[in-house]
Amino acid sequence: MRVTSVARPQRSKRPKHPAGERNGFGARLTAPLLLGSLLNPLNTTMISTGLVAIGHDFGVGASDTAWLVSVLYLASAVAQPVLGKLADGIGPRRVFLGGLVLVVASGLVGALAPGFGWLLVSRALLGVGTSAAYPAAMAVLRDESRRLGSPTPRTVLGRLSFAALGSAAIGPTLGGLLVATAGWRAVFAVNVPVAVVAYATALRWIPQDIPRESPAAGRAKTLDPLGTTLFTGALSCLVVFLLDLRHPMWLLLAPVVLLSALLTWWQLRHPHPFIDLRMLAANHALARTYLRHGLSYLVVYCVMYGFTQWLEEERGYSSLHTGLVMLPMSLAALACSLIGARTKGIRAPLTVAAVLLTAGSSLLLCTTGSTPLAVLLLAGACFGIPQGLMGTGNQAAVQQFAPADAIGSAAGLQRTAQYIGAITASGLIGLAYGQRADDGGLHLMAAVGAVLALALIVLTATDRALRRRPGRDQETKNAEQEIKNA
């Protein structure tokens, strides 16, 4: 992996901090980053309680409203690495603010939508706009780390993970409250004030971007329209195929293979590719991190959506009771994201997470409609603890293994791996359950989860790169050494 050393930082070229802002990773720097980063996971779950009401208002069925979920996943999976590369090229502050402008626009389009098609447009814009925050936040923290000559604290990374997990956990509850009190349009409109506050605080508290090439030159080098188009086409066909595995449209695999082959050919020829395949081929530790992250969330999303459906249809629980049963999972995920942020290593928490995923899947293999409630609560906790540990652990791994000058795009690809896992989980749930969630479908899903969790144990335990404690990136070390020598 090529590492570029940096010249001795000059005072005139340091990012300008707002008046009165203290140096370091303080609350003012992190507050807008956290506020912006919670919007994407919040909107992935908040819409779930409004789908029925939307379908009734526009006269569409469940198969149509499901696209309100899928289109955001698809837009986010594509936009995360694109906006991450843009943050590396022209500056994360610009990208962060631009994404929030799109969020405001998407909220207004959704709240005022005269037809169902406009809601799809709104969700696509929302997926793109909210995708800017996380990779841009990672790039902002990288720039601050360079300026201070010290690594980003794990506790700061833990707060980012906590914001994502917490917002996803409260999404259904918040969405239900908004739908019940103000109607489903409030689920879209609520993004407007949150984005406005995030924009105002970011404008005030996030430092100006460090000097780079002109924005036009940065965009020219960063954007790869053909590569982005090929990736979007291949992923779109794959999503449509995965959404109905019970009646697979095998012909869709032909364009997936063709577009993937063209994408690979083009990325290897392009001087600034959308996905740096050469870097991934050389950086095995980072490639394994993406694989591990995607597999982990595939298992978790199967439980988050598949287990809840089983609780309602097989056990006969109401939505409120189901939410209470899943509460230990959410609380465990939140608590362990903070605990994982305070650990110094990466391998141990990720190994514990994989073992618990195996245990949770094994519990579900033995679960039936008459299983005691205590066992169901224990199973939920077995999936919540790994969710917190692997979120912060894989985030730290990306911070450690990614090239320092490409942390934005690397963070974006991490989220893309997560969304591909979520999309695959949707297909597996449909395959396992069919028309109704029953014990047989739950056991099939749990068996797949157990196999994948065992693979995660092997993948994590045998990864020698994880034995090294996360340290300062090479560019920061170079900068510190040159300052010391001077």
Side-chain angles (χ1 to χ4, degrees):
M1 179 181 66
R2 183 175 61 88
V3 176
T4 306
S5 62
V6 296
R8 175 185 176 183
Q10 300 294 325
R11 185 178 300 273
S12 61
K13 292 186 177 182
R14 287 183 179 181
K16 296 180 181 179
H17 283 66
E21 167 68 359
R22 294 183 299 172
N23 292 341
F25 302 94
R28 288 190 174 185
L29 175 68
T30 57
L33 301 181
L34 297 178
L35 194 57
S37 297
L38 64 81
L39 284 169
N40 188 275
L42 177 66
N43 279 281
T44 61
T45 58
M46 186 169 56
I47 191 69
S48 61
T49 51
L51 294 177
V52 174
I54 291 171
H56 289 165
D57 278 6
F58 291 112
V60 297
S63 60
D64 294 314
T65 57
W67 276 102
L68 292 174
V69 178
S70 300
V71 75
L72 186 136
Y73 278 139
L74 180 59
S76 300
V78 175
Q80 291 268 358
V82 172
L83 294 175
K85 286 182 70 66
L86 203 59
D88 292 328
I90 68 174
R93 187 174 184 264
R94 292 187 181 97
V95 173
F96 189 87
L97 294 173
L100 292 173
V101 171
L102 272 182
V103 173
V104 172
S106 70
L108 294 175
V109 170
L112 303 174
F116 183 73
W118 285 100
L119 291 186
L120 293 175
V121 172
S122 171
R123 293 286 286 180
L125 288 174
L126 188 61
V128 175
T130 57
S131 293
Y134 176 69
M138 293 288 281
V140 166
L141 296 176
R142 171 206 59 199
D143 288 350
E144 188 70 2
S145 177
R146 288 174 172 176
R147 186 183 69 82
L148 296 173
S150 63
T152 302
R154 283 281 292 274
T155 53
V156 174
L157 297 177
R159 290 172 204 155
L160 280 177
S161 181
F162 183 85
L165 292 171
S167 57
I170 68 170
T173 303
L174 176 60
L177 180 63
L178 290 172
V179 172
T181 57
W184 62 262
R185 293 182 185 272
V187 173
F188 293 85
V190 72
N191 289 288
V192 176
V194 177
V196 168
V197 172
Y199 187 96
T201 54
L203 200 63
R204 173 65 178 165
W205 293 334
I206 294 181
Q208 295 180 13
D209 294 321
I210 61 175
R212 289 172 169 86
E213 297 178 281
S214 67
R219 281 191 296 270
K221 284 190 173 184
T222 300
L223 297 179
D224 174 14
L226 180 57
T228 305
T229 301
L230 291 172
F231 179 78
T232 304
L235 189 58
S236 299
C237 294
L238 182 62
V239 167
V240 176
F241 175 80
L242 290 174
L243 286 178
D244 190 9
L245 290 178
R246 292 185 68 87
H247 307 92
M249 293 181 282
W250 297 108
L251 291 178
L252 282 173
L253 293 182
V256 170
V257 173
L258 177 61
L259 291 172
S260 299
L262 290 173
L263 175 65
T264 302
W265 171 80
W266 176 248
Q267 297 303 274
L268 294 176
R269 292 174 58 89
H270 197 279
H272 303 284
F274 167 59
I275 299 176
D276 194 342
L277 297 179
R278 296 185 187 277
M279 183 274 291
L280 288 176
N283 193 337
H284 296 161
L286 184 60
R288 287 192 297 269
T289 298
Y290 293 149
L291 176 60
R292 186 169 55 243
H293 195 67
L295 289 177
S296 299
Y297 272 92
L298 193 163
V299 178
V300 167
Y301 275 111
C302 277
V303 175
M304 285 182 65
Y305 296 110
F307 188 40
T308 53
Q309 290 182 39
W310 178 85
L311 288 173
E312 293 187 29
E313 294 189 352
E314 183 67 22
R315 291 293 291 243
Y317 288 165
S318 66
S319 298
L320 176 61
H321 289 154
T322 298
L324 292 175
V325 172
M326 298 301 291
L327 187 60
M329 176 178 175
S330 300
L331 294 178
L334 293 174
C336 289
S337 67
L338 296 179
I339 295 173
R342 296 184 179 277
T343 60
K344 293 184 178 180
I346 298 177
R347 188 185 182 198
L350 289 179
T351 302
V352 171
V355 170
L356 287 175
L357 286 177
T358 307
S361 298
S362 300
L363 276 177
L364 293 185
L365 271 172
C366 304
T367 297
T368 64
S370 59
T371 298
L373 178 60
V375 177
L376 302 181
L377 294 174
L378 178 61
C382 283
F383 287 96
I385 294 171
Q387 194 176 353
L389 294 178
M390 69 192 184
T392 52
N394 287 322
Q395 192 177 57
V398 170
Q399 187 84 0
Q400 179 180 1
F401 300 133
D405 58 352
I407 189 64
S409 57
L413 285 173
Q414 179 195 0
R415 285 291 179 89
T416 296
Q418 178 176 329
Y419 290 130
I420 291 175
I423 292 167
T424 306
S426 299
L428 289 176
I429 292 171
L431 177 63
Y433 286 157
Q435 298 300 318
R436 185 179 181 276
D438 55 16
D439 289 347
L442 179 67
H443 294 161
L444 174 60
M445 193 174 59
V448 173
V451 171
L452 293 177
L454 287 172
L456 276 172
I457 293 176
V458 175
L459 182 63
T460 305
T462 58
D463 193 342
R464 295 184 178 181
L466 295 178
R467 297 178 184 177
R468 302 192 300 268
R469 287 188 175 183
R472 296 169 294 182
D473 62 68
Q474 190 63 43
E475 291 197 52
T476 300
K477 292 179 181 179
N478 291 344
E480 282 184 308
Q481 187 61 44
E482 291 183 12
I483 293 172
K484 183 178 179 180
N485 293 339

